[in-house]
Amino acid sequence: MSDWRLDIAENRSAQKYEWGEIIRRVFWGAGAVLFRWTPRLLYGVRNALLRLFGAEIGKNVRIHPSATIYFPWNVSIGDWSSVGENAMIYNLGPIEIGEKVTVSQRAHLCAGTHDATDPAMPLQKPPISVGDQAWVCADAFVGPGVTVEEGAVVGARAVVVKDVEAWTIVGGNPARPLRDRELTTG
């Protein structure tokens, strides 16, 4: 057993964000209220508001007003992608969402954590990448530093803490490969 003790006071006193980012967060607080109050079908208005705050938003992107995007300047979303109702984009670190991606309702992309081995538990901001044509299903969790490769599917309520290979369907907690994803026509 270790004699180490958590140092929560040091954690709370550490400067986790630069002053410029703190100021952007204050302004985004007002922008986020506008975002949430836009009518459901006004995707273009929400996209424009996110772009105003530094987000890279592609063409024909649909983000629902109940979705939460913490820091617009840390998100990029490719053409024809969507972010569903009550999805949480916790992008303390950068989150890149490719083209034709679906992030379903209540999915949680979490690009923030703490170093649990350090008594001060300093904040870490590892990036998340979701490749083109991937699908993060309802209630799924994608953890810090994870890459969901092209065409992969993260099943409903799955917990992904390791990279997901291209064109693979994963599920469970922790997520494990279930089968390959093959698109069919017909």
Side-chain angles (χ1 to χ4, degrees), residues 113-124:
T113 188
H114 296 271
D115 181 353
T117 65
D118 184 319
M121 292 181 48
L123 182 63
Q124 297 177 330

Side-chain angles (χ1 to χ4, degrees), residues 82 97 99-105 107 109 130-140 142 148-156 158 160 164 167-170 179 181 183:
S82 66
I97 297 170
E99 294 183 3
K100 299 179 184 174
V101 171
T102 299
V103 177
S104 292
Q105 66 274 16
L109 279 58
V130 180
D132 296 346
Q133 302 184 73
W135 178 16
V136 180
C137 296
D139 290 311
V142 177
V148 177
E149 293 184 8
E150 178 182 25
V153 176
V154 176
V160 175
V164 179
W167 299 99
T168 301
I169 300 172
V170 300
R179 65 180 186 273
R181 179 185 187 195
L183 299 180

Side-chain angles (χ1 to χ4, degrees), residues 8-141:
I8 301 304
E10 184 178 340
N11 174 280
R12 290 187 180 165
S13 66
Q15 176 146 357
K16 296 169 180 75
Y17 305 99
E18 299 295 325
W19 280 107
E21 192 162 46
I22 292 170
I23 292 167
R24 285 191 287 184
R25 289 180 69 185
V26 168
F27 284 110
W28 174 239
V33 171
L34 292 173
F35 180 93
R36 188 161 293 275
W37 284 94
T38 57
R40 180 182 171 101
L41 295 177
L42 294 183
Y43 301 110
V45 172
R46 283 187 295 282
N47 293 347
L49 186 57
L50 289 169
R51 287 182 190 114
L52 181 66
F53 281 90
E56 295 177 21
I57 306 294
K59 297 175 185 166
N60 300 303
V61 170
R62 292 190 168 188
I63 303 171
H64 288 264
S66 61
T68 300
I69 297 176
Y70 278 79
F71 299 161
W73 50 92
N74 275 348
V75 71
S76 67
I77 302 175
D79 298 345
W80 295 99
S81 291
S82 66
V83 177
E85 295 177 2
N86 297 302
M88 182 175 296
I89 309 299
Y90 190 63
N91 55 336
L92 302 185
I95 292 182
E96 181 179 335
I97 297 170
E99 294 183 3
K100 299 179 184 174
V101 171
T102 299
V103 177
S104 292
Q105 66 274 16
R106 295 178 307 281
H108 183 170
L109 279 58
C110 181
T113 188
H114 296 271
D115 181 353
T117 65
D118 184 319
M121 292 181 48
L123 182 63
Q124 297 177 330
K125 305 171 189 178
I128 291 175
S129 177
V130 180
D132 296 346
Q133 302 184 73
W135 178 16
V136 180
C137 296
D139 290 311
F141 176 86

